[in-house]
Amino acid sequence: MKVRQAVGAILTNFENYALILKTKIHTKEGKEEIDGEWDFIKGGVEEKDSSLEEAVLRELKEETGLNSFFVKRELEEKISFHFPEDVADKIGYQSQETTMFLVEYTGEDKEWIPLDDEISEIGFFDKEEVLRKLSHQETREYFTKYLNRIDNI
């Protein structure tokens, strides 16, 4: 099996961060419902994407319907993990490597409505609530390292 290349956004709106509640995943047979998982906006890199930055902007547009984003920078460290065997069999990937970007929301809209049917909710949360809500340990550890770096800048 192969490694899924993905992109993700630590998306800020002033002091808060955007999280999505993902309730479906893509499998080889179509979409499958899962228990809700809070995460940053993430998605797979597609062949049509000319760059990783283009891929993250496409994901943001697909999931929110909005275009008001400014990519501040690509973050050096990636989030890497292995899928549980049952999930890997369903989706066709053994592991995932996610290139994360720091992205700022520059628009006016306060009410965000998920466009993608894999997502049931989008919200902005302060950093303590983000750490409580994130469903995956790898992502929580990544965000903690990120916060430690920006607090020391």
Side-chain angles (χ1 to χ4, degrees), residues 42-129:
K42 295 178 185 168
V45 175
E46 298 178 0
E47 285 184 29
K48 66 183 178 186
D49 296 323
S50 63
S51 67
L52 294 176
E53 185 173 319
E54 182 180 301
V56 78
L57 288 169
R58 176 187 48 74
E59 278 297 325
L60 288 161
K61 168 76 172 165
E62 285 177 4
E63 297 193 4
T64 68
L66 302 170
N67 282 316
S68 305
F69 302 104
F70 172 70
V71 176
K72 294 174 101 170
R73 71 178 180 272
E74 179 179 330
L75 300 174
E76 293 172 22
E77 192 175 334
K78 298 177 185 333
I79 299 175
S80 299
F81 61 90
H82 289 276
F83 291 107
E85 196 172 325
D86 61 325
V87 174
D89 289 341
K90 287 180 190 176
I91 64 172
Y93 293 100
Q94 182 178 17
S95 60
Q96 179 166 301
E97 183 178 89
T98 306
T99 301
M100 296 295 290
F101 289 83
L102 179 59
V103 181
E104 186 177 322
Y105 176 62
T106 58
E108 299 292 319
D109 294 328
K110 302 290 186 229
E111 298 274 329
W112 288 31
I113 299 166
L115 279 191
D116 191 322
D117 72 349
E118 295 175 16
I119 300 165
S120 65
E121 201 175 321
I122 301 174
F124 279 93
F125 306 97
D126 65 30
K127 58 187 172 185
E128 289 79 20
E129 196 158 2

